[in-house]
Amino acid sequence: MPNTPAATSTAPPPRSPSPASGHPVGVSNDEFRDALSRLAAGVVLVTAREAPLDPDDPEGPAGEDVGMTATAFMSVSLDPPLVLVSVREGSRMDDLLDEQPLWAVSVLSESQRHVAGRFAMKGRISDRLLFEDIPYVRGEATGAPLVGGALATLECRTERRTQAGDHTLVIGRVLSAHVPGADGGPLTYFRGRYRQLG
């Protein structure tokens, strides 16, 4: 049998992980963030109401409202109506939604950049102060704040929670959906900044 040269591979050699990434193979954290920042996303405010500290004491302190800005939010199913939101594992909202199955979503308008920024900032002030001067009504199905001026509001009940890396995917059944008739376009997030559509 004649000798034939071994086939040569044209594939690039395996990448060594970036020291900052912590990943044994593949993309670095910075590369991943940079690529996904090119995907424009709508911006929503996810809210939930904490249960009272002592439900048997009507005079006791009520639980706080909690809010979180999210761009990882999407519809999942029409029948039944399901949506999904991704929350950082171990965050205040993740802990609350682990105990409280009822929550709400306000789809923010382009004029509500200040709301998105307030609930996304690091080293946040107390949740009570975050809601202090923001107009809202309480959802009838969830008791969670629904932000005034939002393009749409949804009230949800958790159907499933799934761990996915450093986040929890929360799938909720939509209990109510309203379009209040707010003017303007949606608030979007693109390349690390809040933006208006168009």
Side-chain angles (χ1 to χ4, degrees):
M1 192 172 199
N3 291 332
T4 56
T8 57
S9 171
T10 58
R15 296 177 50 155
S16 58
S18 164
S21 77
H23 302 300
V25 293
V27 67
S28 72
N29 287 352
D30 289 342
E31 289 169 328
F32 181 70
R33 285 192 193 101
D34 193 40
L36 270 292
S37 74
R38 268 57 176 182
L39 177 64
V43 184
V44 302
L45 183 68
V46 180
T47 55
R49 178 80 168 159
E50 243 180 357
L53 296 179
D54 184 359
D56 298 325
D57 180 7
E59 302 297 322
E64 281 194 327
D65 293 316
V66 177
M68 177 198 84
T69 302
T71 55
F73 174 76
M74 62 181 289
S75 64
V76 174
S77 167
L78 182 62
D79 186 14
L82 300 175
V83 293
L84 177 149
V85 66
S86 177
V87 299
R88 186 170 46 82
E89 185 180 14
S91 65
R92 176 112 160 86
M93 185 61 75
D94 184 35
D95 292 343
L96 177 55
L97 294 187
D98 192 30
E99 300 173 358
Q100 164 63 281
L102 299 174
W103 45 283
V105 174
S106 298
V107 179
L108 299 181
S109 72
E110 60 192 4
S111 65
Q112 294 179 310
R113 184 181 305 208
H114 64 290
V115 176
R118 177 182 295 193
F119 285 89
M121 64 184 174
K122 296 179 180 176
R124 293 170 24 162
I125 58 177
S126 79
D127 288 288
R128 180 179 54 79
L129 294 175
L130 288 174
F131 283 97
E132 197 167 61
D133 59 351
I134 292 177
Y136 66 85
V137 297
R138 292 207 177 276
E140 292 182 11
T142 62
L146 304 174
V147 177
L151 297 180
T153 59
L154 305 165
E155 293 187 85
C156 309
R157 182 184 63 237
T158 299
E159 294 265 306
R160 184 179 307 164
R161 289 169 52 87
T162 302
Q163 296 306 122
D166 56 6
H167 277 63
T168 303
L169 306 181
V170 183
I171 296 175
R173 181 182 291 255
V174 178
L175 305 175
S176 74
H178 298 285
V179 179
D183 294 329
L187 182 63
T188 61
Y189 194 71
F190 180 68
R191 298 189 71 174
R193 292 177 55 197
Y194 297 116
R195 300 174 189 265
Q196 296 179 359
L197 191 64

